[in-house]
Amino acid sequence: MAKKKFTLEFDMRGTPQSMLWMYVATPSGLDQWFADEVEQDGKKFTFYWDKYPTEAMLLSIRSGERAKYRWVGDDDKSYFEFKITVSELTGHTLLTIVDFADADEEEESKALWEKQMKVLKRKLGC
């Protein structure tokens, strides 16, 4: 079954871009909200949940702006990406997440991202 792309946007209020960047692009930041533990070896990131490892490759990065990853073993078209922008209208920092899910799992995937973002927002105080 082909995966469907979806995009979620979260208002991170006054969080500085540099601080948010640390949380989406470094092992020490990602393991505070995204996984129990994160290790990096070059472009390979290993995420641990309940001591179970899952690997992802860093596909592309634009420092301070976006990081794109692909789970090892997923098809070539799917990925997950974090994009950081600042709203010209409000001045708030925005975090956009792009991900893929099977059609019957899309709502579950979105709910998981919502849950993870609550953890991140609590860490950032927003």
Side-chain angles (χ1 to χ4, degrees):
M1 178 182 285
K3 291 188 177 189
K4 180 181 175 188
K5 180 179 177 180
F6 64 89
T7 302
L8 301 169
E9 185 173 88
F10 299 93
D11 186 343
M12 306 308 285
R13 308 245 177 237
T15 302
Q17 282 181 271
S18 59
M19 181 184 290
L20 185 55
W21 178 251
M22 191 267 313
Y23 279 91
V24 301
T26 68
S28 63
L30 287 162
D31 70 10
Q32 292 189 46
W33 69 280
F34 186 69
D36 298 332
E37 182 181 347
V38 182
E39 297 173 353
Q40 181 181 6
D41 183 13
K43 291 188 173 201
K44 182 177 82 173
F45 282 70
T46 304
F47 299 89
Y48 293 89
W49 288 277
D50 296 324
K51 299 185 181 183
Y52 179 77
T54 304
E55 294 179 343
M57 297 301 294
L58 179 64
L59 298 178
S60 63
I61 192 166
R62 182 174 298 151
S63 187
E65 294 179 22
R66 65 180 187 85
K68 184 188 242 183
Y69 305 86
R70 175 175 297 122
W71 296 115
V72 171
D74 270 3
D75 66 57
D76 289 340
K77 294 179 183 174
S78 65
Y79 58 88
F80 65 101
E81 181 174 31
F82 301 110
K83 295 180 189 178
I84 301 171
T85 56
V86 175
S87 169
E88 291 181 21
L89 184 61
T90 65
H92 289 188
T93 303
L94 304 174
L95 177 61
T96 302
I97 297 173
V98 178
D99 199 1
F100 289 77
D102 292 332
D104 61 339
E105 296 177 353
E106 182 178 355
E107 291 308 311
E108 183 180 324
S109 294
K110 287 179 179 179
L112 180 59
W113 279 116
E114 293 280 348
K115 179 182 173 194
Q116 295 303 105
M117 291 310 300
K118 285 180 183 176
V119 174
L120 178 57
K121 285 182 172 189
R122 215 176 6 241
K123 291 276 184 190
L124 293 169
C126 57

